[in-house]
Amino acid sequence: AMLVASAVDLRKVGCLTIDPVPSRDQGWGIVQLDRVLRFPWSEFSLTAVDDEYGFTDAADEPMTWTVSATKSRGLKVVLAWTAPPSHSSAVSNLVNDLDLVVQGPDGQTYVGNAFSGGESLAGTSSSDRRNNLEVVWIEHAAVGEWTVTVTPHQIVTGPQPFAVVVTAPITPELIRWPGPG
């Protein structure tokens, strides 16, 4: 989750002939460590939740957190989990499925992996049902409170732990994460 959170679209560094993220040309982009490590010159902060308990079934309540963005810059939220193994003959290989939804201070919602032109689409309601990594990327995120929600869609084999990483110009004291599960 941290590596994907640090990734920058290669088109932003001059490779204009490739498809935007996420794509088979570049995946989620090139790792840029100053987006996840706290260097003195970096305006980005990283917050991570590693929920080792996770969800036991799809009826569990969603988990919600808020982050306060202090500047109108990029906001990236990454949800990652290691799902149980599937069978080679399965129609869908994603056994446990979690959903990521991010809501901005203006009420717009963004669903994990709903992208167009290298950025998350607002107002989409179609969730990703094939990947165990979901990303929301807003290049010019508004200043204010952003709500991050993780919901269990399908839990065949529980518990399903997960990790959430948020990178943005945020101040750590403004992050409100729930206590241990």
Side-chain angles (χ1 to χ4, degrees), residues 5 11 15 17 36 55 80 90 151-152 166 170 175:
R11 294 174 320 134
C15 299
T17 60
V36 292
F55 299 103
T151 304
V166 179
I170 51 179
I175 300 165

Side-chain angles (χ1 to χ4, degrees), residues 39-127:
F39 293 116
W41 62 85
S42 176
E43 66 180 20
F44 287 87
S45 294
L46 173 127
T47 274
V49 169
D50 184 9
D51 191 319
E52 62 185 270
Y53 304 104
F55 299 103
T56 55
D57 67 39
D60 286 353
E61 290 292 317
M63 295 188 190
T64 301
W65 307 274
T66 58
V67 176
S68 291
T70 58
K71 295 180 183 175
S72 181
R73 298 275 199 282
L75 173 84
K76 189 180 279 187
V77 182
V78 179
L79 165 65
W81 69 97
T82 303
S86 178
H87 297 285
S88 59
S89 61
V91 174
S92 171
N93 292 108
L94 187 59
V95 176
N96 290 347
D97 187 9
L98 305 179
D99 291 332
L100 172 65
V101 176
V102 178
Q103 184 176 28
D106 60 359
Q108 288 278 15
T109 59
Y110 301 84
V111 175
N113 294 353
F115 276 76
S116 177
E119 191 170 358
S120 292
L121 288 169
T124 305
S125 61
S126 181
S127 296

Side-chain angles (χ1 to χ4, degrees), residues 92-168:
S92 171
N93 292 108
L94 187 59
V95 176
N96 290 347
D97 187 9
L98 305 179
D99 291 332
L100 172 65
V101 176
V102 178
Q103 184 176 28
D106 60 359
Q108 288 278 15
T109 59
Y110 301 84
V111 175
N113 294 353
F115 276 76
S116 177
E119 191 170 358
S120 292
L121 288 169
T124 305
S125 61
S126 181
S127 296
D128 184 337
R129 297 286 170 244
R130 301 191 313 182
N131 297 294
N132 64 335
L133 179 85
E134 295 194 10
V135 178
V136 168
W137 163 244
I138 299 126
E139 189 166 353
H140 300 288
V143 172
E145 294 278 315
W146 288 82
T147 303
V148 177
T149 303
V150 177
T151 304
H153 172 72
Q154 174 178 293
I155 306 294
V156 175
T157 304
Q160 179 57 67
F162 63 90
V164 175
V165 171
V166 179
T167 59

